[in-house]
Amino acid sequence: MNWLKVPKKVYFKTGCYPVALKELDEVYGFGKAFIISDANLYTTGVVEPIKNYLKERGLAVCEFFTLSETPCFADARSGLQKMLEFEPDVIVGMGDGAVMSMAKIMLLLYENPDIDLDKVAKKFTKTSVSEAEFPTIGAKAKLVLITTTAGSGMECSPYAVIANDQGKKVVISSFKLVPEIAVIDGDLAIQNTPEQNKEAAIQTIANAARAYASPSATDYMKGFARDAVRVVFENLPTVLENGPKAPRERENLINAAAIAGMAIGSAVDTIDPDAGAYPSANDKNAKKVEKERLTELAKAAGVADDFDSWIAACEKLAAL
């Protein structure tokens, strides 16, 4: 049996966050929101409208942004006491893939304060591991993820990438980590630099291509991957050239990242946090059947006619 696991609700449109977040009190009846982000988004004021909007709607708000350059287990543990004292019923993770991963881990820790994160990371590296055995999530709080960068697709996938106590990046994978609500709002990505936009777009290509090459990819995932690739190739050059003057194209990129996240989240059972930018050496040395799948993807997306020209097109995109 095949299945497609995505957030229960996905809001996507520039300016959509108020419509999405009013559900927190109107539909779910939440009263306490714990916002997880990073220091840069706080100091640049990106988090401010989200925080103020929640307060205006009557929610109590607590903030956490003490994250290392590479967020790690220690960061999650450092915020646990604050969470236990505040007792939130909704966790709002706002930021890039690292921040959204941290929000997933902190929710896991909040609901299971005595859990050994190292053991969880070693056991649950793949979604194919029995979901019934994964620790409880959702009993005390729900997860809402708001993306501010167009790349990881973490807001729509079952993965959390985080550094363990030895400083090594690990993947914790479970469909229980898919958020209740994902918010993809172009207004919240306006501060991204051209380099950030390019890195994010290349990550979108990586997620889409690796999903499409998977033997587990179904027509649903392939459709997401095809559209993600097409949208990146069509819109990234304009975003890099015009920046904030290309709001529609920037919105297209963050939508592409989200659907690529859906694709890789359902087509493969884990990701490699050290795979590197696409195409990596492993991507270039793909097996024959993978090359055939990627050629199919390249043709369907209108990018290239064979595997070698697909790789060349991706490298040219990365060099913009």
Side-chain angles (χ1 to χ4, degrees):
M1 181 180 73
N2 296 317
W3 63 1
L4 179 64
K5 291 281 188 175
V6 298
K8 183 177 291 185
K9 299 179 181 180
V10 180
Y11 283 90
F12 57 97
K13 186 178 182 181
T14 293
C16 74
Y17 82 80
V19 178
L21 296 184
K22 74 177 182 179
E23 287 210 7
L24 301 191
D25 60 286
E26 283 189 356
V27 176
Y28 292 91
F30 295 143
K32 292 183 177 182
F34 191 89
I35 299 178
I36 299 170
S37 192
D38 63 40
N40 179 62
L41 291 178
Y42 275 101
T43 56
T44 55
V46 178
V47 177
E48 196 71 12
I50 302 296
K51 179 182 70 174
N52 291 341
Y53 183 76
L54 292 176
K55 286 184 174 180
E56 289 169 5
R57 298 198 61 83
L59 279 79
V61 175
C62 186
E63 307 159 51
F64 177 81
F65 53 91
T66 308
L67 302 183
S68 304
E69 184 174 347
T70 301
C72 58
F73 286 165
D75 294 331
R77 295 190 191 101
S78 72
L80 177 59
Q81 188 58 41
K82 191 173 185 179
M83 296 181 79
L84 293 175
E85 292 173 356
F86 184 64
E87 297 184 333
D89 45 20
V90 59
I91 310 298
V92 180
M94 181 180 179
D96 59 10
V99 170
M100 292 188 287
S101 289
M102 178 58 65
K104 294 179 181 183
I105 298 304
M106 290 186 70
L107 173 60
L108 173 62
L109 197 59
Y110 172 54
E111 303 232 5
N112 306 273
D114 298 322
I115 202 169
D116 186 324
L117 291 176
D118 272 310
K119 288 183 178 179
V120 171
K122 290 175 182 176
K123 183 174 182 179
F124 297 101
T125 60
K126 299 180 178 181
T127 52
S128 55
V129 176
S130 174
E131 289 292 299
E133 297 179 19
F134 196 82
T136 298
I137 287 184
K140 293 170 65 175
K142 299 297 184 183
L143 180 64
V144 175
L145 294 180
I146 305 173
T147 183
T148 61
T149 58
S152 72
M154 202 67 71
E155 69 276 15
C156 291
S157 80
Y159 312 119
V161 178
I162 189 170
N164 63 16
D165 289 327
Q166 290 72 48
K168 177 179 173 56
K169 283 187 177 180
V170 296
V171 178
I172 296 178
S173 182
S174 169
F175 286 114
K176 292 183 180 179
L177 295 176
V178 175
E180 183 80 4
I181 298 175
V183 182
I184 300 102
D185 185 335
D187 279 344
L188 302 176
I190 196 169
Q191 82 288 351
N192 291 338
T193 66
E195 187 61 30
Q196 287 175 320
N197 282 320
K198 184 172 75 172
E199 289 178 2
I202 298 305
Q203 182 60 55
T204 297
I205 294 290
N207 286 344
R210 290 163 185 164
Y212 204 99
S214 169
S216 300
T218 67
D219 287 343
Y220 287 83
M221 293 75 152
K222 286 181 178 180
F224 286 150
R226 284 194 299 267
D227 277 352
V229 168
R230 176 184 56 78
V231 168
V232 168
F233 272 90
E234 289 178 354
N235 291 272
L236 180 60
T238 302
V239 170
L240 293 180
E241 181 179 353
N242 298 316
K245 295 181 180 179
R248 178 59 182 169
E249 288 81 3
R250 190 176 62 248
E251 179 183 2
N252 290 341
L253 289 182
I254 65 171
N255 286 332
I259 62 174
M262 295 178 190
I264 198 167
S266 292
V268 303
D269 58 12
T270 193
I271 54 177
D272 181 358
D274 300 312
Y278 193 90
S280 67
N282 286 338
D283 295 314
K284 293 179 183 179
N285 294 318
K287 297 177 182 178
K288 181 181 178 181
V289 66
E290 293 172 339
K291 288 183 178 180
E292 291 172 351
R293 293 184 186 123
L294 289 169
T295 297
E296 179 184 291
L297 168 63
K299 289 180 177 179
V303 173
D305 293 323
D306 56 54
F307 179 76
D308 289 339
S309 58
W310 157 256
I311 293 296
C314 291
E315 291 180 328
K316 182 179 179 180
L317 191 74
L320 290 176

